Amino acid sequence: MAAHQGMTTVALRVMEEALAGSSTAAGSLTGGGGLAAAGGLTAAGDAADAAASEGAYYLEQVTVTEASEEDYEYEEIPDDNFSIPEGEEDLAKAIQMVQEQATDTQILEQKTVLPSKHAVPEVIEDFLCNFLIKMGMTRTLDSFQSEWYELIQKGLTELRGVGTVPDVYSQVMHLENENKNLKKDLKHYKQAADKAREDLLKTQKERDFHRMHHKRIVQEKNKLINDLKGLKLHYASYEPTIRVLHEKHHTLLKEKMLSSLERDRAIEQINDLQATYRKLEIGRSYHVPEIKVAHSCEKENTPEGPTQKGPCEAQEQKKKKTRAKDNMKDSEFPTDTQPSPDLNLFKENLYPAKFEYKLNNIFRLHELPVCCIVMHPQKDILVSCGEDRLWKVVGLPQGNVLLTGFGHTDWLSDCCFHPSGNKLATSSGDTTVKLWDFSKGDCILTFEGHNHAVWSCTWHSCGSFVASASLDTTSKIWDVNSERCRCTLYGHTDSVNSIEFFPCSNTLLTGSADKTLSVWDARTGKCEQSLYGHMHSINDATFAPRGHMIASCDACGVIKLWDFRKLLPIVSIDVGPSPGNEVNFDPSGRVLAQASGNGVIHLLDLKSGQIHKLMGHESEAHTVVFSHDGESLFSGGSDGTVRKWS
């Protein structure tokens, strides 16, 4: 018996240690809600059966009594084995029995449903510990554990009477947690709903405001449309009167030009008559003294010798001074002579129009952008000006630099050959215009008078005058002989970007950033006509070889052609939006080339209206010019190169 009692005590210790160490150790609640010691061990009987039905397993206390091996009764084990009967019929029956047994086994396996494994219910001790940990009652937890384990050690509590915590409490706590989380979510969703409601109200207010604003704009638009229709009708009623006044204005301008020409002729005749009259008066007044002086010189020479030569030398010095004064007088403007149309027709037939150009050569002449290229009047030579303050004379077709000129203190903007080809005029950002002599290889004259940068310059066909256009909204005409400014042209309200003399004439053409072209009389310095039509700043304007047409380009790439005889626009062509920097006609007058800001050279066929493009510049194209025979074309770009197309 002592051995059996020892085994029971060991089993109880093992059970207590397992219950104390496992997460399913037993706990108990007293009837009044207080704490009491309890064990997690269940007794044999109904409690074990109930636990087994729920899929849980518990230790069971068993009392073993001493008995002799002789008194032990053995259970009879049924023999499930069967013997196979002999014979074929018995063999067939055996096979059938085996098959039926296998079928029964499959049916049992299919119908057998394993019980679901339930979670081990939480015992009272763990429930209380978890509750205290959750509530943060650490001191109460320590007191409970010390008292609980003290009772277990002293054996004052029974583990059997302790049960598990009912599932209802666990479910209630779980539902409370879910309820708290749902309340938090509900609060969050309420806040989001309130914010969405506020945003909706704000959006509705903005929508109503924009709707009212849209209605107001529509009303103003309709009102402006009605006003515009009324103004159009009002303007249409004035169009006939404006047309008549415009025609009268043109006729008056023509009469004014004719009267000015007649006046100039009359003034020239009067000057000639006055000159002849003065000569006659001088001859009459000095006829007798000359004879006397001659006699006196002859008489005085014989006795007194060289002492009597003083009066003659004084007269010669006076004559030299008068000649010097005559040389220092201002130059006279020549009479207008139009270019011969037969020569232009011959030139047009001699050099037919060409459109197919290909990039042939690249001359790297400047370190900074090329601003201007001009061809020599007679030779195969071109001059290029750059922003590096240098101008270079280049021999063709090899592109050899023959001469380099420097003297300006700022970038160069334009250059122009003297009609004879032995001199060059250059304009610069240093507000000056310089004249260069190729035979001397040096600057021979500098004109100063502009307040801002000079954009363009041009020679008169007689070679005695140079005109310049400046950023200070003025143009000036310089006399090469008297070395002074003969006239300043006022009228433009913005920078004057280009200037050019009409061939063999005293007429000047200027293009300005105020979007207008102006035709000037260089002799009087008055504006004869202004041409309106461009919507942007005019960058360049030039005459056709026959002189019957003007071409201009502006800062948005629009090219306009004007009838110079009627001073009316002919056609407008938009090749933008890149700006047009320069336009030039070919020798035949049929092709117009434009250097564009996007690096494209546009070739316009004036007869068919077709536009050809030359793609080759990697950056902006600033200038373009044709060769004398029209077989080649030269363009300068912002990369400092001059490109030859042929």
Side-chain angles (χ1 to χ4, degrees):
M1 289 297 291
H4 289 290
Q5 290 177 358
M7 292 176 64
T8 305
T9 305
V10 172
L12 287 174
R13 288 181 180 177
V14 171
M15 286 168 26
E16 289 175 359
E17 290 176 359
L19 289 172
S22 63
S23 63
T24 59
S28 175
L29 285 171
T30 62
L35 298 174
L41 185 64
T42 61
D46 297 333
D49 296 335
S53 64
E54 293 177 359
Y57 298 91
Y58 300 92
L59 295 174
E60 182 179 357
Q61 183 177 358
V62 179
T63 304
V64 180
T65 58
E66 292 182 357
S68 62
E69 295 179 358
E70 296 177 355
D71 296 335
Y72 184 80
E73 296 180 357
Y74 294 93
E75 272 185 330
E76 185 178 357
I77 299 173
D79 189 10
D80 294 335
N81 297 328
F82 57 88
S83 61
I84 300 174
E86 297 179 358
E88 294 180 359
E89 295 179 359
D90 297 335
L91 181 60
K93 289 180 180 181
I95 293 172
Q96 186 177 0
M97 289 174 64
V98 171
Q99 291 178 354
E100 289 177 358
Q101 191 175 1
T103 304
D104 294 337
T105 305
Q106 292 179 358
I107 292 170
L108 290 173
E109 288 177 357
Q110 292 177 358
K111 291 184 178 180
T112 301
V113 179
L114 296 175
S116 60
K117 187 177 180 181
H118 296 284
V120 178
E122 190 176 17
V123 296
I124 294 174
E125 179 189 359
D126 291 341
F127 177 78
L128 291 174
C129 290
N130 293 333
F131 176 77
L132 294 174
I133 291 171
K134 184 177 180 180
M135 299 302 294
M137 302 169 66
T138 56
R139 290 182 294 172
T140 307
L141 176 63
D142 294 337
S143 300
F144 164 70
Q145 288 180 349
S146 61
E147 186 177 0
W148 169 253
Y149 290 113
E150 184 180 357
L151 291 175
I152 291 174
Q153 292 294 330
K154 290 180 179 180
L156 298 178
T157 181
E158 295 181 0
L159 298 175
R160 297 179 183 178
V162 180
T164 59
V165 178
D167 295 338
V168 177
Y169 293 103
S170 300
Q171 291 177 1
V172 168
M173 292 190 68
H174 181 66
L175 291 174
E176 285 182 354
N177 292 330
E178 288 185 354
N179 192 13
K180 289 181 180 179
N181 295 330
L182 290 174
K183 284 182 179 179
K184 289 181 181 178
D185 294 340
L186 180 61
K187 185 178 179 181
H188 178 70
Y189 292 146
K190 281 185 178 179
Q191 293 177 356
D194 294 338
K195 185 177 180 182
R197 188 180 294 107
E198 292 177 357
D199 294 340
L200 178 62
L201 293 174
K202 184 178 179 182
T203 306
Q204 288 177 351
K205 290 181 181 179
E206 291 180 355
R207 180 199 63 188
D208 296 336
F209 172 76
H210 289 298
R211 187 177 292 169
M212 294 296 296
H213 182 67
H214 176 69
K215 289 181 180 179
R216 182 174 62 82
I217 293 297
V218 169
Q219 291 177 357
E220 292 179 357
K221 176 185 174 183
N222 294 330
K223 184 180 178 182
L224 290 174
I225 288 173
N226 294 329
D227 295 342
L228 185 61
K229 289 180 180 178
L231 290 174
K232 284 183 178 179
L233 294 174
H234 186 68
Y235 177 73
S237 63
Y238 282 102
E239 277 187 354
T241 307
I242 293 173
R243 193 180 299 109
V244 172
L245 293 175
H246 192 65
E247 292 176 356
K248 289 182 178 179
H249 177 66
H250 279 290
T251 54
L252 290 174
L253 284 176
K254 291 180 181 178
E255 292 178 358
K256 179 182 177 182
M257 291 180 68
L258 292 174
S259 61
S260 63
L261 292 174
E262 291 178 357
R263 181 197 63 189
D264 294 338
R265 290 174 184 173
I267 290 173
E268 289 179 359
Q269 291 177 359
I270 291 171
N271 292 331
D272 294 338
L273 291 174
Q274 288 179 353
T276 54
Y277 179 74
R278 287 173 185 172
K279 289 180 181 179
L280 291 174
E281 289 293 331
I282 291 170
R284 289 177 182 177
S285 59
Y286 285 96
H287 181 68
V288 176
E290 284 179 358
I291 296 172
K292 291 181 179 179
V293 170
H295 286 291
S296 62
C297 289
E298 288 178 357
K299 290 180 181 179
E300 291 173 356
N301 284 337
T302 52
E304 295 182 1
T307 57
Q308 299 295 328
K309 293 181 181 180
C312 296
E313 290 177 359
Q315 289 180 2
E316 289 179 359
Q317 289 178 359
K318 287 181 181 180
K319 289 180 181 180
K320 289 180 181 179
K321 289 181 180 180
T322 54
R323 289 175 183 174
K325 288 181 180 179
D326 292 334
N327 292 331
M328 290 299 294
K329 288 182 180 179
D330 293 334
S331 304
E332 294 291 336
F333 283 97
T335 57
D336 289 345
T337 56
Q338 300 296 331
S340 175
D342 297 334
L343 180 61
N344 290 319
L345 290 174
F346 175 73
K347 195 173 185 180
E348 183 175 355
N349 295 327
L350 183 62
Y351 304 118
K354 181 181 178 181
F355 302 98
E356 298 297 331
Y357 291 96
K358 293 183 179 179
L359 185 60
N360 188 9
N361 202 348
I362 299 176
F363 306 139
R364 302 190 179 276
L365 302 177
H366 298 274
E367 296 179 357
L368 295 178
V370 178
C371 300
C372 175
I373 300 174
V374 293
M375 296 295 298
H376 193 276
Q378 293 89 17
K379 301 178 182 179
D380 289 336
I381 293 174
L382 65 83
V383 172
S384 66
C385 297
E387 292 186 6
D388 54 1
R389 308 177 185 178
L390 302 177
W391 56 267
K392 296 185 179 182
V393 180
V394 181
L396 300 176
Q398 290 80 12
N400 300 326
V401 178
L402 306 178
L403 184 62
T404 300
F406 54 90
H408 283 284
T409 59
D410 209 338
W411 43 268
L412 299 182
S413 58
D414 195 13
C415 62
C416 184
F417 272 106
H418 189 273
S420 63
N422 58 359
K423 295 178 183 178
L424 183 73
T426 58
S427 58
S428 170
D430 60 5
T431 71
T432 64
V433 177
K434 290 182 179 291
L435 304 184
W436 309 80
D437 192 341
F438 291 121
S439 60
K440 297 179 180 179
D442 198 2
C443 177
I444 58 174
L445 189 59
T446 300
F447 294 121
E448 298 178 354
H450 284 291
N451 297 326
H452 293 286
V454 183
W455 288 120
S456 181
C457 62
T458 180
W459 281 94
H460 192 281
S461 57
C462 68
S464 299
F465 301 95
V466 175
S468 60
S470 173
L471 181 63
D472 59 6
T473 72
T474 65
S475 301
K476 291 182 180 291
I477 301 173
W478 309 90
D479 194 332
V480 178
N481 295 324
S482 60
E483 301 180 2
R484 72 181 186 91
C485 177
R486 288 287 299 272
C487 184
T488 301
L489 310 181
Y490 297 97
H492 285 293
T493 59
D494 207 337
S495 171
V496 186
N497 296 329
S498 70
I499 189 167
E500 185 174 343
F501 271 108
F502 185 74
C504 304
S505 170
N506 298 319
T507 302
L508 265 174
L509 174 67
T510 58
S512 172
D514 62 6
K515 310 171 189 177
T516 63
L517 294 170
S518 295
V519 180
W520 308 79
D521 188 348
R523 296 167 295 183
T524 60
K526 294 182 180 180
C527 179
E528 300 294 339
Q529 182 70 27
S530 293
L531 305 178
Y532 301 91
H534 279 283
M535 303 300 295
H536 302 278
S537 171
I538 299 175
N539 290 336
D540 190 33
T542 185
F543 290 103
R546 286 191 294 171
H548 66 291
M549 189 184 301
I550 297 173
S552 60
C553 63
D554 63 17
C556 273
V558 178
I559 301 174
K560 284 186 176 291
L561 299 177
W562 312 78
D563 189 342
F564 181 58
R565 292 167 293 191
K566 298 180 180 180
L567 296 176
L568 293 174
I570 300 174
V571 68
S572 179
I573 302 160
D574 188 358
V575 294
S578 298
N581 294 323
E582 186 175 316
V583 287
N584 260 316
F585 287 93
D586 73 331
S588 66
R590 179 182 170 183
V591 182
L592 178 67
Q594 183 206 37
S596 181
N598 58 2
V600 179
I601 307 298
H602 295 93
L603 300 180
L604 174 62
D605 187 354
L606 300 183
K607 288 188 177 181
S608 64
Q610 295 181 354
I611 298 176
H612 304 268
K613 295 182 179 181
L614 302 181
M615 312 288 289
H617 279 280
E618 298 175 357
S619 56
E620 186 175 1
H622 288 166
T623 178
V624 61
V625 66
F626 287 92
S627 61
H628 297 302
D629 55 1
E631 292 296 325
S632 300
L633 183 145
F634 299 91
S635 60
S638 60
D639 55 357
T641 62
V642 174
R643 297 172 186 260
K644 179 182 178 183
W645 310 78
S646 60

